[in-house]
C-alpha cells in the first residue's frame, strides 16, 4: 500500500500509479489537455503541472508516479499562474470562434480558459491560417483550432493501429494531417473524434447540427451490428438519435467504436421503414390494421396446424433480434404450434462450429474475454479478418502485437497486414493442407498432452502433407516450421476462427485441425460473429435440436418441465435446420413459414431456390423493419421495432449478456416479442406479458442456464457464462472428422475459367443489407464492387472504377471493379451487402455432412468489361 498526501488529503493506492490517477481516484480533479485514459502519458500540454514537496520545479502529474510519503499540491497560486500562461500560449494561434465551433459546450480548452483566465492575449502577431478540409465523408479538419496535444495521433497509432495521421511540419506550421495529404484513407472508426479536446477534428454528419445542450436524453445501450457488443451512449433529441458515442465509463470496448457503430445508426430513421402491417391481396401487399393482421396470421396458422399438423410449420429466427424476441419466436413455433422446425443464419457457421468445438474440448470453450487477446503472447487467426468482421476484436489483436505477441494469420490478413509475424495465404480452399502441416510441426515440437484419447487418436490418423503438396497449397516448409516454433513457445495463446473456414470441402477436418491446435497449445478460442446475437438465439433455443438453455429436445424429463411452465408441449424429435426448411419449402412439404428479422433471399445461399421455396410455401409471414427482398414474397408483413427502439438483451461472442435499452419511441412498429405474443395469445397461449421484464422472468424459470439472472444484474456488465445456471450439455464426446487420412487433390486454381474464383468479401463498412439504408455508410461505400488483383485487372485491360459483368453458373451481376494488390491472383472478392448483387446468390454450395453447416464451393467466374 502506497500512501501520499494530495491537497492535505491522505490518499492510498494499491499499486504504483501516476499522481493524476491517484488524484482522480480520490476525487481531486487536475486539468489536462493531452492526457486521455487508455493512451500513453505524453506530458505535452503542461496543464497538469503540480507541486511536489522537496522538488524545485513543477512536475507533470500525468507522467510522475506516486511514491510513499509524497506530498502534492494541485492548486497553488504558482500553479494557477503557470496554467494561465500555458493557455495564453495556446490561444496565440487558436481562433476565437467558439460561437460557430461544433465543439462548443464540450471543448476542454474553452472550459479551462473560463476556469483559469487568459481571456486576452498579449501577442500582436496574426494567427496562423490553414484551410478547413472537407475531403472525408465523416471527418471535418480545422487545423487552425489544433493545439497539437497529439491525442488523435496516439489514438490512431497506438490503439486503433490505423497509422492514418501524423503531425507534419515544424514549429507554428505543424498540423495533424494524413501522410499523403488529402483524405484520411483510413477505417473511419471516428475514435479521433472521441479524443480531440477541441474543434480541430469534428464529425461531418453532425456539422452545425449538434450542440451538447440540444441533447434531451442519453441512453446507455449496446451496439446492434456485430457480436462484440460495444457499449455506447445514444444522445437523443425529439425522439431521434442525434449522435452515438462510446461509453467511456464502462464497457468491454474501452471507449472505442467502429465506423458502423459510430456512423451507421441512421438507418433507423430511413424513409423506407415499414409504416403499416401489410397483407397480400390480389397479388399485392396492401396496408391493414394491426388487429386485422394479427387475427389473419393467427387464423391461418391455426388452420394449417389443423390440416397438416405442427410439423408443417417452421420459423427462422434472427441474430439481430434480442434474446427475448428469439425466445418468444421459439415458444410460438415449438410450444404453441408444436414444431421443432426453427433455425437461423447461425446454422451457416457459428452454431455448428461452436457445437463441434464443444464436443471436442468441452462446453464453454469459446466463452473467453476479449481483453485476454490484448494480454496474450500469441495469436493465431484462421478464416477471416477480425478488423472487418469484429473491428474492436481486431484492435485487440493489433494491441497484442504491439505488446510483443507473435501473430500468425492463415488466410488474407486484411487489416492485420502490418501487425503479423507470419502471413500464410493458402491457395483457394487449401487451408486443410496448411493447417495439417502446422499441426504436425506442433506435435513434433511439443508432443501430445495425454489428456484426450479421442483427439490424440484422430491426430495419429492425420495424413501429413509433403513439401511438394504444401507448396502446391500455397505454404512453405520454412514459414510453417518457424510459425510452429513460435506457437509452441506461447504461454497464453489465442485462436480466432472466422466464417471463411466454411469454404470448400471437409469443413469438419479444418475445424478439427484448429481445435487440435488449440488443444495442444492450451489456447483460448474466439469465434468471429458478424451479427450481435448469434450466441443469444442459440441459448434461447432457436435451433432445431436444443431447447432454451442448450438442453437437447429429446430429454423427456426436461420436456415435461417445460410443458409444466409453458402450457404447451414440444415434439421429442429434432426439427429441420435452415437448409432443410428451404428444401422442404421448395418441395411443398412445409405449409407455413414465420421469418423474424432475417432476409433469407439475400443471406441464404442459392437465391433462386430460396425465392422458389418462399413462393411454394402456402403461408409466409415476415416480421421486419423494411420491405426486404424476402418480405416482397410474403403473404403478411409485420413492421417491427429496430435495434434502438426496443428493450431487452444481447449475448455477445464472449457469452456475456448485456442490456439493450429503448431510446426511440415507436411510430408504427412493435417489439418483435410483443407481436408474436399477440399472435400466440390468439392461438390460446395462457401467459400474458406486461413488459419485456415479465418475459425475461419466464426465461430464467425455464432455462437453468439463465436461472437467477436479472436486468439489474446485467447492468454491471459482468453477466458472463456460465452465469448462475447449470449448462446441461456434456463436457466432451466423440465426433466425426472427414478425410483425416488423405489430402485434397491439388487443383486449387483450375476449372472452366482458370485463376478466377469468386469468394465472399466481409467488408468493414457494411453489415448485411441493413447498412445500405444508412446515408452515412453509403457516403463511403455506395455500391457493390468486385475486388480484383492488379495483375488480373491488367490482363483484362481493367481500370479502377470500370463497370464489369460477373458471370458464374448460378447467375450474373453488374458491379464496379476495384483493383487491389492484397487480393491473390487466384480469386476475386465481392460482398453480400447489396440487394441485387449479393455474392451468396452467385456461389455454388453444399452442406457439410458432419457439421451440417454451409460449405461454399470454388465457383468459377468470368469477368467482362462493360
Amino acid at each position: 500500500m502506497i500512501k501520499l498526501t494530495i491537497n492535505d488529503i491522505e490518499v492510498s493506492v494499491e499499486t504504483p500509479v501516476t499522481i493524476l490517477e491517484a488524484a482522480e481516484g480520490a476525487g481531486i480533479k487536475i486539468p489536462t489537455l493531452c492526457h486521455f485514459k487508455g493512451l500513453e502519458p505524453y506530458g505535452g500540454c503542461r496543464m497538469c503541472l503540480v507541486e511536489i514537496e522537496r522538488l524545485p520545479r513543477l512536475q507533470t502529474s500525468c507522467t510522475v508516479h506516486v511514491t510513499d510519503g509524497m506530498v502534492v499540491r494541485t492548486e497553488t497560486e504558482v500553479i494557477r499562474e503557470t496554467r494561465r500562461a500555458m493557455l495564453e500560449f495556446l490561444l496565440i494561434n487558436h481562433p476565437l470562434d467558439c460561437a460557430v465551433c461544433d465543439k462548443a459546450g464540450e471543448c476542454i480548452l474553452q472550459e479551462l480558459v473560463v476556469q483559469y483566465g487568459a481571456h486576452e492575449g498579449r501577442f500582436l502577431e496574426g494567427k496562423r491560417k490553414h484551410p478547413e478540409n472537407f475531403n472525408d465523408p465523416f471527418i471535418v479538419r480545422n487545423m487552425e483550432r489544433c493545439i497539437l496535444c497529439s491525442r488523435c495521433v496516439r489514438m490512431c497509432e497506438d490503439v486503433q493501429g490505423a497509422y492514418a495521421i501524423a503531425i507534419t511540419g515544424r514549429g507554428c506550421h505543424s498540423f495533424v494531417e494524413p501522410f499523403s495529404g488529402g483524405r484520411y484513407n483510413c477505417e473511419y472508426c471516428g475514435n479521433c473524434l472521441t479524443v480531440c479536446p477541441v474543434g480541430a477534428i469534428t464529425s461531418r454528419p453532425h456539422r452545425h447540427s449538434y450542440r451538447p445542450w440540444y441533447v434531451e436524453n442519453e441512453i446507455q445501450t449496446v451496439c446492434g451490428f456485430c457480436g462484440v457488443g460495444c457499449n455506447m451512449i445514444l444522445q437523443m433529441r425529439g425522439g431521434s438519435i442525434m449522435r452515438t458515442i462510446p461509453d467511456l465509463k464502462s464497457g468491454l470496448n474501452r471507449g472505442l467504436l467502429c465506423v458502423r457503430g459510430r456512423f451507421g445508426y441512421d438507418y433507423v430513421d430511413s424513409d423506407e421503414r415499414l409504416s403499416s402491417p401489410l397483407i397480400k391481396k390480389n397479388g399485392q401487399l396492401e396496408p391493414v390494421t394491426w388487429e386485422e393482421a394479427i387475427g389473419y396470421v393467427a387464423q391461418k396458422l391455426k388452420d394449417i396446424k389443423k390440416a397438416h399438423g405442427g410439423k408443417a410449420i417452421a420459423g427462422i429466427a434472427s441474430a439481430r433480434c434480442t434474446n427475448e424476441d428469439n425466445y418468444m419466436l421459439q415458444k410460438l413455433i415449438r410450444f404453441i404450434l408444436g414444431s421443432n422446425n426453427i433455425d437461423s443464419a447461425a446454422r451457416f457457421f457459428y452454431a455448428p462450429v461452436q457445437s463441434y468445438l464443444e464436443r471436442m474440448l468441452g462446453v464453454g470453450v469459446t466463452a473467453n474475454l476479449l481483453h485476454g487477446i490484448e494480454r496474450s503472447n500469441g495469436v493465431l487467426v484462421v478464416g477471416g479478418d477480425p478488423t472487418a468482421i469484429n473491428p474492436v476484436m481486431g484492435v485487440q489483436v493489433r494491441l497484442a502485437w504491439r505488446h510483443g505477441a507473435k501473430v500468425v494469420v492463415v488466410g488474407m490478413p486484411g487489416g492485420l497486414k502490418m501487425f503479423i509475424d507470419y502471413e500464410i495465404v493458402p491457395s483457394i480452399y487449401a487451408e486443410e493442407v496448411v493447417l495439417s502441416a502446422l499441426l504436425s510441426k506442433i506435435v513434433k515440437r511439443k508432443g501430445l498432452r495425454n489428456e484426450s484419447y479421442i483427439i490424440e487418436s484422430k491426430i495419429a490418423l492425420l495424413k501429413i502433407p509433403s513439401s511438394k503438396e504444401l507448396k502446391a497449397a500455397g505454404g512453405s516448409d520454412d514459414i510453417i516450421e518457424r510459425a510452429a516454433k513460435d506457437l509452441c513457445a506461447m504461454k497464453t495463446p489465442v485462436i480466432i476462427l472466422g466464417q471463411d473456414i466454411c469454404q470448400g470441402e471437409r469443413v469438419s477436418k479444418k475445424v478439427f485441425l484448429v481445435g487440435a491446435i488449440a488443444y495442444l497449445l492450451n489456447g483460448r478460442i474466439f469465434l468471429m460473429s458478424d451479427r450481435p446475437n448469434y450466441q443469444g438465439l442459440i441459448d434461447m433455443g432457436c435451433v432445431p435440436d436444443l431447447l432454451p438453455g442448450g438442453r437437447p429436445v429429446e430429454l423427456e424429463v426436461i420436456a415435461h418441465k417445460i410443458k409444466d411452465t409453458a402450457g404447451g408441449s414440444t415434439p421429442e424429435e429434432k426439427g429441420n435446420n435452415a437448409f432443410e426448411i428451404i428444401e422442404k419449402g421448395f418441395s411443398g412439404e412445409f405449409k407455413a413459414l414465420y421469418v423474424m428479422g432475417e432476409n433469407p433471399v439475400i443471406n441464404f445461399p442459392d437465391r433462386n431456390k430460396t425465392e422458389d421455396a418462399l413462393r411454394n410455401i402456402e403461408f409466409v409471414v415476415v416480421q421486419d423493419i423494411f420491405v426486404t427482398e424476402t418480405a416482397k414474397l410474403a403473404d403478411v408483413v409485420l413492421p417491427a421495432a429496430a435495434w434502438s427502439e426496443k428493450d431487452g438483451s444481447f449475448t455477445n461472442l464472449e457469452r456475456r449478456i448485456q442490456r439493450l435499452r429503448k431510446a426511440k419511441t415507436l411510430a408504427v412498429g412493435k417489439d418483435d416479442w410483443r407481436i408474436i405474443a399477440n399472435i400466440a395469445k390468439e392461438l390460446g397461449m395462457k401467459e400474458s406479458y406486461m413488459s419485456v421484464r415479465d418475459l425475461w422472468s419466464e426465461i430464467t424459470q425455464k432455462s437453468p442456464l439463465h436461472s437467477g439472472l436479472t436486468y439489474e444484474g446485467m447492468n454491471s456488465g459482468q453477466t458472463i457464462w456460465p452465469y448462475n445456471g447449470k449448462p446441461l450439455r456434456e463436457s466432451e464426446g466423440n465426433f466425426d472428422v472427414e478425410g483425416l487420412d488423405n489430402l485434397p487433390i491439388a487443383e486449387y486454381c483450375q476449372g472452366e475459367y482458370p485463376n478466377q474464383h469468386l469468394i465472399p468479401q466481409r467488408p468493414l463498412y457494411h453489415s448485411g443489407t441493413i447498412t445500405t439504408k444508412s446515408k452515412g455508410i453509403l457516403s463511403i461505400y455506395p455500391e457493390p464492387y468486385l475486388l480484383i488483383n492488379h495483375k488480373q485487372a491488367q490482363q483484362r485491360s481493367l481500370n479502377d472504377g470500370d463497370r464489369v459483368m460477373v458471370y458464374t453458373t448460378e447467375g450474373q451481376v453488374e458491379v464496379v471493379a476495384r483493383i487491389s494488390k492484397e487480393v491473390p491472383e487466384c480469386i476475386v472478392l465481392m460482398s453480400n451487402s447489396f440487394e441485387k448483387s449479393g455474392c451468396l446468390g452467385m456461389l455454388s454450395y453444399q452442406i457439410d455432412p458432419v457439421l451440417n453447416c454451409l460449405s461454399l464451393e470454388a465457383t468459377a467466374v468470368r469477368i467482362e468489361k462493360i
Side-chain angles (χ1 to χ4, degrees):
M1 183 72 71
I2 302 171
K3 295 183 178 181
L4 69 154
T5 303
I6 305 177
N7 294 349
D8 299 324
I9 299 172
E10 189 173 297
V11 178
S12 299
V13 294
E14 296 267 344
T15 56
V17 295
T18 63
I19 296 172
L20 181 66
E21 292 170 316
E24 183 180 328
I28 300 169
K29 186 174 182 180
I30 299 176
T32 64
L33 279 169
C34 67
H35 176 79
F36 192 87
K37 188 175 181 180
L39 301 181
E40 290 293 321
Y42 185 61
C45 70
R46 322 306 284 181
M47 290 302 298
C48 69
L49 290 171
V50 296
E51 288 182 358
I52 302 176
E53 197 172 83
R54 294 195 296 272
L55 288 184
R57 290 190 294 269
L58 300 179
Q59 303 292 317
T60 50
S61 63
C62 68
T63 60
V64 177
H65 282 70
V66 300
T67 58
D68 200 44
M70 180 181 280
V71 178
V72 179
R73 293 180 181 84
T74 69
E75 286 290 343
T76 67
E77 187 55 41
V78 173
I79 294 172
R80 293 181 65 85
E81 186 58 39
T82 303
R83 289 173 182 163
R84 187 179 301 113
M86 292 306 303
L87 290 170
E88 188 176 356
F89 277 123
L90 290 175
L91 293 177
I92 292 173
N93 279 315
H94 193 87
L96 301 178
D97 59 354
C98 296
V100 296
C101 177
D102 280 331
K103 198 72 172 182
E106 54 184 10
C107 173
I108 301 175
L109 180 63
Q110 187 182 49
E111 294 172 0
L112 294 178
V113 169
V114 170
Q115 182 178 353
Y116 291 102
H119 303 291
E120 295 182 5
R122 292 170 285 172
F123 294 85
L124 301 178
E125 293 84 358
K127 297 181 183 291
R128 65 179 180 177
K129 299 294 181 184
H130 198 74
E132 203 166 15
N133 188 294
F134 296 93
N135 288 340
D136 294 282
F138 296 128
I139 306 293
V140 176
R141 307 199 303 273
N142 187 327
M143 288 298 108
E144 292 179 1
R145 298 172 184 157
C146 182
I147 60 172
L148 295 175
C149 67
S150 81
R151 277 189 182 187
C152 56
V153 176
R154 284 179 287 145
M155 169 60 77
C156 191
E157 290 185 1
D158 300 343
V159 179
Q160 185 66 26
Y163 293 95
I165 53 179
I167 297 176
T168 62
R170 296 173 65 86
C172 65
H173 298 291
S174 298
F175 302 102
V176 174
E177 297 285 357
F179 286 111
S180 56
R183 61 189 290 165
Y184 271 25
N185 188 29
C186 68
E187 297 165 341
Y188 291 107
C189 63
N191 291 319
C192 54
L193 297 173
T194 299
V195 299
C196 183
V198 294
I201 301 177
T202 55
S203 170
R204 187 168 181 175
H206 307 103
R207 182 172 171 79
H208 298 331
S209 64
Y210 173 86
R211 290 291 186 273
W213 51 85
Y214 290 172
V215 177
E216 297 173 349
N217 196 14
E218 291 191 336
I219 306 297
Q220 185 183 33
T221 190
V222 177
C223 181
F225 282 112
C226 84
V228 170
C230 292
N231 295 131
M232 58 167 50
I233 292 174
L234 307 184
Q235 296 180 318
M236 308 296 298
R237 179 180 173 87
S240 294
I241 303 173
M242 288 191 69
R243 188 173 71 164
T244 61
I245 58 175
D247 186 348
L248 299 177
K249 296 180 181 178
S250 62
L252 56 90
N253 48 312
R254 295 180 176 176
L256 301 179
L257 288 179
C258 74
V259 61
R260 299 188 296 255
R262 192 181 295 272
F263 299 112
Y265 61 85
D266 57 335
Y267 74 87
V268 301
D269 290 320
S270 170
D271 294 335
E272 298 180 42
R273 287 286 300 272
L274 272 165
S275 58
S276 168
L278 306 173
I279 292 180
K280 186 169 287 184
K281 299 178 179 179
N282 300 318
Q284 298 293 323
L285 289 170
E286 297 183 3
V288 297
T289 64
W290 272 108
E291 291 75 14
E292 182 180 351
I294 295 295
Y296 181 69
V297 171
Q299 188 60 51
K300 286 290 291 183
L301 292 175
K302 186 183 294 182
D303 293 344
I304 290 171
K305 180 182 179 181
K306 183 177 180 180
H308 304 282
K311 295 179 182 180
I313 302 172
I316 294 177
S318 171
R320 292 201 188 277
C321 293
T322 64
N323 290 325
E324 296 78 3
D325 296 332
N326 284 298
Y327 171 82
M328 195 65 228
L329 178 63
Q330 73 83 35
K331 180 173 182 176
L332 172 69
I333 299 297
R334 191 167 264 144
F335 298 107
I336 307 299
L337 297 173
S339 169
N340 280 322
N341 301 322
I342 183 167
D343 208 355
S344 71
R347 171 64 44 197
F348 303 152
F349 161 70
Y350 197 93
V353 170
Q354 182 185 78
S355 176
Y356 190 86
L357 289 171
E358 288 189 337
R359 290 201 302 277
M360 276 188 70
L361 303 169
V363 177
V365 68
T366 61
N368 299 296
L369 301 184
L370 280 167
H371 294 162
I373 299 175
E374 178 187 352
R375 301 188 188 105
S376 70
N377 62 356
V379 182
L380 171 64
V381 180
V382 183
D385 176 12
T387 67
I389 299 168
N390 300 120
V392 171
M393 178 194 280
V395 169
Q396 293 287 310
V397 179
R398 290 172 174 173
L399 287 171
W401 182 85
R402 289 181 62 86
H403 296 161
K406 298 290 185 179
V407 177
V408 181
V409 175
V410 178
M412 289 179 285
L416 295 177
K417 182 72 174 178
M418 298 189 298
F419 303 88
I420 55 178
D421 297 276
Y422 302 98
E423 177 184 343
I424 307 168
V425 184
S427 301
I428 185 168
Y429 300 159
E431 292 88 351
E432 73 169 90
V433 180
V434 171
L435 290 171
S436 296
L438 187 60
L439 177 61
S440 69
K441 302 288 186 185
I442 292 172
V443 171
K444 186 176 179 181
R445 284 185 169 274
K446 203 172 180 71
L448 300 174
R449 292 174 58 188
N450 298 318
E451 292 183 11
S452 173
Y453 170 78
I454 296 174
I455 294 176
E456 293 178 6
S457 64
K458 293 182 188 302
I459 291 175
L461 297 173
L462 183 67
K463 185 179 189 309
I464 310 303
S466 64
S467 296
K468 183 179 178 181
E469 290 170 323
L470 184 59
K471 185 177 180 181
S476 158
D477 255 336
D478 177 57
I479 293 177
I480 297 291
E481 184 69 51
R482 288 189 286 118
K485 179 181 178 181
D486 281 339
L487 285 168
C488 289
M490 296 174 184
K491 302 295 184 185
T492 54
V494 161
I495 293 91
I496 300 176
L497 185 59
Q499 190 168 348
D500 291 350
I501 198 73
C502 294
Q503 294 177 2
E505 298 179 348
R506 305 200 289 205
V507 178
S508 63
K509 183 178 180 180
K510 288 182 279 189
V511 176
F512 165 75
L513 292 169
V514 173
I517 291 171
Y519 164 75
L520 293 175
L521 300 179
N522 196 24
R524 289 162 291 169
I525 300 177
F526 293 84
L527 296 182
M528 297 185 217
S529 172
D530 60 353
R531 295 290 186 271
N533 204 31
Y534 278 142
Q535 187 61 57
L537 63 81
I538 295 170
D539 291 343
M540 290 299 118
C542 291
V543 284
D545 56 341
L546 298 175
L547 299 173
R551 298 162 300 174
V553 296
E554 60 268 22
L555 292 184
E556 185 178 357
V557 61
I558 293 176
H560 282 309
K561 179 180 178 181
I562 291 216
K563 181 177 180 180
D564 292 340
T565 57
S569 59
T570 178
E572 294 181 12
E573 66 275 9
K574 297 177 182 179
N576 291 279
N577 63 35
F579 302 110
E580 293 163 338
I581 289 172
I582 297 301
E583 188 67 41
K584 293 186 177 181
F586 180 78
S587 67
E589 187 173 337
F590 281 155
K591 304 301 180 183
L593 176 65
Y594 201 116
V595 182
M596 179 185 72
E598 187 53 87
N599 190 3
V601 170
I602 290 292
N603 296 328
F604 282 33
D606 197 339
R607 175 170 181 159
N608 293 332
K609 187 172 188 177
T610 302
E611 288 179 336
D612 289 341
L614 292 171
R615 292 189 184 99
N616 291 345
I617 295 173
E618 180 182 325
F619 185 61
V620 177
V621 181
V622 171
Q623 195 167 292
D624 214 314
I625 63 174
F626 296 107
V627 181
T628 63
E629 296 77 6
T630 303
K632 292 173 184 175
L633 300 174
D635 298 285
V636 178
V637 181
L638 303 173
W643 144 80
S644 62
E645 298 165 345
K646 58 175 70 175
D647 277 314
S649 60
F650 282 155
T651 307
N652 76 348
L653 57 83
E654 300 173 305
R655 302 184 85 162
R656 182 195 306 257
I657 304 178
Q658 301 187 102
R659 282 279 279 119
L660 186 73
R661 292 179 178 85
K662 183 175 182 177
K664 285 172 58 65
T665 55
L666 285 165
V668 177
K670 293 185 178 183
D671 289 335
D672 288 279
W673 69 265
R674 190 174 291 282
I675 297 171
I676 299 169
N678 289 342
I679 294 170
K681 200 74 174 173
E682 294 281 327
L683 291 168
M685 183 182 72
K686 298 177 182 178
E687 295 83 5
S688 296
Y689 310 106
M690 297 300 294
S691 70
V692 71
R693 287 176 177 269
D694 296 337
L695 188 56
W696 180 257
S697 177
E698 180 176 302
I699 292 170
T700 60
Q701 294 171 27
K702 294 183 182 177
S703 168
L705 182 63
H706 301 90
S707 176
L709 295 184
T710 64
Y711 280 169
E712 288 71 25
M714 294 180 201
N715 293 340
S716 66
Q718 299 303 311
T719 315
I720 301 169
W721 191 92
Y723 321 120
N724 303 319
K726 306 168 185 175
L728 294 187
R729 278 183 277 182
E730 295 179 1
S731 295
E732 299 167 37
N734 204 352
F735 51 89
D736 295 327
V737 184
E738 192 179 9
L740 272 176
D741 57 352
N742 60 78
L743 292 168
I745 300 172
E747 296 181 353
Y748 309 113
C749 290
Q750 300 179 16
E752 185 181 355
Y753 309 114
N755 298 322
Q756 303 168 51
H757 289 87
L758 183 62
I759 300 291
Q761 179 207 17
R762 309 188 194 282
L764 166 65
Y765 300 107
H766 279 288
S767 175
T769 57
I770 202 165
T771 42
T772 62
K773 312 298 182 183
S774 165
K775 293 178 182 178
I777 298 300
L778 287 178
S779 69
I780 192 169
Y781 197 141
E783 60 181 337
Y785 58 74
L786 184 83
L787 272 177
I788 185 170
N789 179 271
H790 62 292
K791 293 181 181 178
Q792 293 287 332
Q794 193 174 29
Q795 290 177 14
R796 292 161 180 76
S797 301
L798 290 177
N799 297 313
D800 196 72
D802 285 348
R803 299 200 71 83
V804 296
M805 286 297 296
V806 181
Y807 299 91
T808 72
T809 54
E810 307 301 316
Q812 63 187 59
V813 65
E814 179 182 335
V815 293
V816 172
R818 295 291 183 199
I819 298 172
S820 171
K821 293 182 179 180
E822 304 302 324
V823 179
E825 290 185 55
C826 198
I827 65 174
V828 291
L829 299 173
M830 194 168 73
S831 76
N832 196 56
S833 301
F834 290 85
E835 179 178 341
K836 295 181 180 178
S837 56
C839 181
L840 277 180
M842 301 280 288
L843 295 172
S844 303
Y845 77 98
Q846 58 184 356
I847 301 168
D848 184 79
V850 177
L851 270 70
N852 281 323
C853 68
L854 177 65
S855 174
L856 295 174
E857 298 178 337
T859 303
V861 62
R862 186 173 79 250
I863 304 165
E864 293 181 1
K865 182 177 179 179
I866 297 178

